[in-house]
Amino acid sequence: MRALLSAAVLLLPALAWAQPDDRSQLPSLTPAVFESRGTVAVTLPVVERQPLSGFGPLPRRYVVPAEREPVALPFVPDLDALPALALAPPPEPPATNLEIYRLRAEAGAGAYVARYGRLDLSGSGAAGEFFVDADYDGVGETVGRVDFDRVAVEAGGRSFGTGRVHITAHGLLDAYSTPGVGFGERRLRQGAGAEAGVEGVGAVPFALTVGFEQGRLTRTDDSEETSEGRLDASGRLGLFADKVAVDAAGGIAGAGTVGTDVQYGAAGLALTLVEREGFRFSVGARALAYDASASVGGGDAQSVGPILDLQVPFGATTVAFATNDPHVGVRSLMDLTEENRYVAENPLVVPDIVPIDARAGLELRPGPLRARVYGHAMVAPTYLAFEQFGAAFEPVYLDAQAFGLGADLAVTHASGVSASAGLEIRDGRSDEGEIPFFAPLVGHVGVQVPFPGGRVGLAAHAESARPIDRIDSDEAPAYGRLSLDARYNVYGPLAVVLRGERFLGERQRWPDFPEPPFTVLAGLRLAR
């Protein structure tokens, strides 16, 4: 059996080789060549880019030699050899035609036959600027009260350019009653004056002013006659970029016309040691003096006071300050009777000599708020005060000192609302006792509120009770004034005006001379 199987295995290849191949008669199902046909399209989005610019060549790298060393010596330039830096304002373009900046005319009347009028005009021409201001106030006659009519006019001009010349002139006519003084006739205050000066703002700033004034105090029936003529001059010179300031002022006055019955003067020198980034420190001294002849009452005083101007900023909103401004308090007969219209006949008119008039404190300016707190000191060998003798007041000149603490506050809102207030507590003494009519407490308040088409404002001033003489025998009551001013635009430049005076009644600054109480006035204003 095994032999048969072996023989079969050997015969199988031979049998397979002997089989005929008949596959050539069938179709070939396997292609010999492959071919692919078609179209391929690829679409990509088009991206447009801005052209690249600003790329220059790479910065050059400098090779520093190894032997080069940094400069270790301080750099001290010779600043004295440089010319002085003169910061002059640019020249103002001359006006070819007359141009009006402001024109306001206003008039009104009210209770107690009160009346008033205003005229303000300012503009420019080819050579400079000019202005004209005229004011009238009046109150009719009432029993036991002061009535008055007052007209004040001032006009002037200023030239363009770096060397600016200015000229002003003024006049005053004031007629008023003085119940209990004189013979019942109205007293007349009449004054006129002029001032001329020149100001330079170049490399060496300077200012020079000369003034003249004539005043007369009389009555409608010529029962009283006091007159004065006065001539004043003042000047200032800045040297070394205004680091050194020299000033001088003086004048003469005489009874009747200009004379030498009263002579006064002052001369000072101040050095600005530091001034940068809001910090300022200036020191100096000023000599003060006056002399009055026996024909006008006599008297003299001399003193020297230090000049100080120190400002130290603390951040952007706080400044500490300390100042002292010694000065001669010059006044004319018209100035004296403006302070107190009820002085006795032939008053003595001499200046104040004030070597110490110092303030020190802090000023805060955060945003729309302005606040200042300070201490105040005043020393004056000659200080004007008024003492009541009978019904009239006599000017007296005292060796006085005063010290006080005060605060001022002001706020302005973006809507136009603004308010301010101030209060000062002070103590004044003289070598003879009290300072007559020197109030230990003084305050003021003001408010302005706009509304659609107009504005309303309130203003108040108050003084506490005051001694009436040097021995403090009695006190004058507290004094205050509260006034209102409102306007409403009717059409274009035309507005209706409403005023209120003396809201606090008949309280007066000088006793025995009351003015009419609460008075309401209405009027019209034309402004452009």
Side-chain angles (χ1 to χ4, degrees):
M1 179 57 81
R2 181 176 298 181
L4 289 176
L5 289 175
S6 301
V9 171
L10 294 173
L11 289 176
L12 282 175
L15 291 175
W17 178 261
Q19 293 290 334
D21 188 4
D22 295 332
R23 290 180 296 176
S24 59
Q25 300 177 1
L26 298 175
S28 176
L29 298 180
T30 302
V33 178
F34 288 93
E35 182 178 358
S36 296
R37 296 182 179 182
T39 300
V40 178
V42 179
T43 302
L44 299 176
V46 178
V47 180
E48 295 184 1
R49 299 181 180 275
Q50 296 292 334
L52 299 177
S53 61
F55 292 91
L58 293 176
R60 181 178 177 183
R61 299 183 63 183
Y62 292 92
V63 178
V64 180
E67 64 272 10
R68 179 176 292 182
E69 297 180 356
V71 178
L73 298 177
F75 176 66
V76 184
D78 186 9
L79 300 180
D80 296 333
L82 297 176
L85 179 61
L87 297 178
E92 301 181 32
T96 56
N97 299 315
L98 181 65
E99 180 181 359
I100 302 300
Y101 297 154
R102 175 182 175 87
L103 173 61
R104 183 186 72 170
E106 181 179 337
Y112 298 98
V113 201
R115 57 268 181 185
Y116 76 96
R118 302 281 185 272
L119 175 63
D120 299 331
L121 172 66
S122 61
S124 67
E129 299 174 322
F130 66 91
F131 72 92
V132 177
D133 295 333
D135 296 330
Y136 167 77
D137 286 286
V139 171
E141 183 177 354
T142 55
V143 177
R145 298 189 181 100
V146 175
D147 61 89
F148 60 89
D149 289 281
R150 172 192 171 95
V151 179
V153 179
E154 185 177 10
R158 179 179 65 90
S159 68
F160 292 138
T162 56
R164 300 179 178 181
V165 178
H166 70 269
I167 300 175
T168 60
H170 62 271
L172 171 69
L173 176 59
D174 186 10
Y176 56 97
S177 63
T178 56
V181 179
F183 298 96
E185 297 292 337
R186 275 184 151 197
R187 173 179 271 183
L188 297 176
R189 297 172 58 234
Q190 304 170 72
E195 182 181 280
V198 60
E199 180 183 4
V201 291
V204 182
F206 69 92
L208 178 64
T209 303
V210 178
F212 164 78
E213 184 170 6
Q214 181 71 40
R216 184 168 179 254
L217 186 65
T218 184
R219 291 188 179 271
T220 54
D221 60 355
D222 296 328
S223 61
E224 178 183 343
E225 180 66 38
T226 304
S227 58
E228 179 201 56
R230 181 176 296 270
L231 183 65
D232 298 290
S234 63
R236 182 188 183 277
L237 180 65
L239 302 172
F240 305 106
D242 214 17
K243 297 297 184 182
V244 178
V246 181
D247 63 81
I252 55 175
T257 59
V258 176
T260 58
D261 296 322
V262 179
Q263 305 175 54
Y264 49 90
L269 174 66
L271 306 176
T272 300
L273 303 179
V274 182
E275 186 173 17
R276 65 171 182 269
E277 299 179 354
F279 181 86
R280 178 181 175 86
F281 181 47
S282 299
V283 293
R286 184 174 291 125
L288 320 168
Y290 93 91
D291 181 78
S293 65
S295 60
V296 293
D300 65 90
Q302 301 83 32
S303 184
V304 176
I307 298 174
L308 174 63
D309 184 4
L310 175 63
Q311 297 184 26
V312 183
F314 294 96
T317 61
T318 305
V319 177
F321 64 91
T323 63
N324 185 58
D325 180 26
H327 61 275
V328 176
V330 179
R331 66 176 58 86
S332 65
L333 178 63
M334 293 297 98
D335 296 330
L336 179 73
T337 53
E338 181 72 25
E339 180 75 9
N340 188 336
R341 301 196 295 174
Y342 313 108
V343 296
E345 297 182 30
N346 300 312
L348 174 61
V349 184
V350 298
D352 291 339
I353 302 297
V354 187
I356 302 295
D357 187 5
R359 289 175 183 265
L362 284 175
E363 182 174 349
L364 308 176
R365 294 172 288 186
L369 177 67
R370 297 290 185 272
R372 172 181 288 219
V373 292
Y374 60 88
H376 179 218
M378 187 272 293
V379 177
T382 305
Y383 181 79
L384 172 65
F386 295 95
E387 199 166 36
Q388 193 167 13
F389 289 94
F393 293 86
E394 190 75 32
V396 293
Y397 297 89
L398 307 175
D399 186 350
Q401 307 87 36
F403 304 92
L405 296 174
D408 294 317
L409 179 68
V411 181
T412 303
H413 193 263
S415 63
V417 178
S418 62
S420 63
L423 180 67
E424 185 171 2
I425 303 172
R426 57 188 189 176
D427 177 54
R429 302 284 296 177
S430 73
D431 58 342
E432 302 178 33
E434 301 289 341
I435 303 177
F437 294 96
F438 188 86
L441 185 63
V442 179
H444 65 87
V445 176
V447 179
Q448 292 283 337
V449 180
F451 60 88
R455 176 180 292 270
V456 61
L458 285 171
H461 172 81
E463 298 181 5
S464 62
R466 303 144 291 159
I468 65 171
D469 52 29
R470 283 166 279 186
I471 63 174
D472 196 12
S473 63
D474 200 358
E475 284 189 342
Y479 156 77
R481 295 180 72 98
L482 176 63
S483 59
L484 174 144
D485 182 270
R487 71 174 185 269
Y488 179 75
N489 298 325
V490 179
Y491 177 77
L494 184 64
V496 177
V497 180
L498 179 66
R499 294 178 56 188
E501 301 286 350
R502 293 176 289 277
F503 276 78
L504 301 181
E506 293 186 348
R507 294 184 180 273
Q508 61 275 346
R509 183 180 182 187
W510 307 111
D512 302 328
F513 294 95
E515 296 181 359
F518 174 56
T519 305
V520 178
L521 303 93
L524 296 175
R525 172 185 293 179
L526 180 66
R528 65 176 296 273

